[in-house]
């Protein structure tokens, strides 16, 4: 019998980062108001009000998560720069925010082949604490290094 493991804060942080640009796009493009529909007369909108409310709620939750992520990323950047590790944050931002590959970073910086992945992993661990607080430390057995 296999038991399902709980997703760790680091794993959740990784998923959020991997979907950062898609979350941003969802906030911009989600149809949550009747006024956003071009040919509203084609639809029975009164029957869809509950669904639109559901989308509004989902969009609101997504906006809150996204703003929390942006604030946590800004704090991470500040901490990394203060520690002389701004290049590690830059790698994280390049991969997850700008959509570059690890190979792109290697080419641009001249670093070792595995360095960008290691840098991103280190920054992801630190970001997980900023996103999930003490729960990240307890569940993942990590601490700021």
């Amino acid at each position: 019998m296999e038991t399902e493991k709980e997703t760790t804060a680091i794993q959740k942080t990784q998923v959020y980062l991997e979907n950062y640009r898609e979350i941003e796009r969802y906030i911009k493009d989600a149809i949550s108001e009747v006024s956003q529909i071009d040919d509203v007369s084609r639809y029975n909108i009164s029957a869809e009000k509950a669904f639109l409310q559901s989308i509004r709620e989902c969009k609101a939750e997504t906006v809150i998560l996204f703003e929390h992520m942006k604030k946590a990323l800004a704090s991470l950047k500040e901490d990394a720069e203060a520690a002389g590790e701004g290049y590690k944050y830059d790698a994280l931002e390049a991969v997850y925010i700008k959509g570059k590959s690890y190979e792109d970073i290697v080419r641009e910086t001249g670093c070792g082949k595995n360095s960008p992945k290691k840098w991103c992993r280190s920054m992801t661990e630190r970001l997980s604490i900023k996103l999930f607080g003490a729960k990240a430390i307890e569940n993942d057995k990590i601490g700021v290094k």
Side-chain angles (χ1 to χ4, degrees), residues 97-111:
I97 312 303
K98 297 177 181 172
K100 292 185 177 184
S101 68
Y102 293 132
E103 292 78 21
D104 292 336
I105 297 167
V106 169
R107 262 192 314 278
E108 292 170 8
T109 65
C111 66

Side-chain angles (χ1 to χ4, degrees), residues 91-145:
L92 180 89
E93 182 178 68
V95 171
Y96 296 109
I97 312 303
K98 297 177 181 172
K100 292 185 177 184
S101 68
Y102 293 132
E103 292 78 21
D104 292 336
I105 297 167
V106 169
R107 262 192 314 278
E108 292 170 8
T109 65
C111 66
K113 180 179 95 165
N114 296 323
S115 294
K117 188 172 187 172
K118 289 177 183 176
W119 298 339
C120 286
R121 189 178 320 116
S122 169
M123 291 289 104
T124 300
E125 287 178 3
R126 293 180 190 181
L127 182 62
S128 72
I129 297 167
K130 293 179 180 300
L131 290 175
F132 298 101
K135 190 171 190 156
I137 297 168
E138 292 167 10
N139 292 351
D140 295 327
K141 313 273 187 293
I142 62 169
V144 177
K145 297 174 180 118

Side-chain angles (χ1 to χ4, degrees), residues 5-80:
K5 284 185 167 183
E6 184 179 325
T7 306
T8 66
I10 291 174
Q11 290 169 327
K12 287 179 185 176
T13 302
Q14 185 71 40
V15 169
Y16 290 156
L17 285 169
E18 289 169 354
N19 292 283
Y20 184 90
R21 290 173 306 176
E22 200 56 42
I23 292 169
E24 188 174 39
R25 189 174 300 121
Y26 172 82
I27 291 168
K28 183 175 140 282
D29 295 343
I31 304 294
S32 58
E33 303 298 330
V34 174
S35 61
Q36 293 175 281
I37 301 170
D38 290 333
D39 188 8
V40 77
S41 63
R42 287 185 15 200
Y43 305 100
N44 178 3
I45 295 301
S46 61
E48 302 301 323
K49 289 208 185 275
F51 183 67
L52 286 172
Q53 179 61 32
S54 172
I55 293 172
R56 277 193 290 278
E57 290 170 6
C58 187
K59 187 174 180 178
E61 290 174 16
T62 304
V63 167
I64 291 167
L65 170 68
F66 189 72
E67 289 300 319
H68 183 55
M69 284 179 63
K70 284 178 22 181
K71 190 170 187 170
L73 283 164
S75 175
L76 180 66
K77 180 178 183 174
E78 187 177 298
D79 291 353

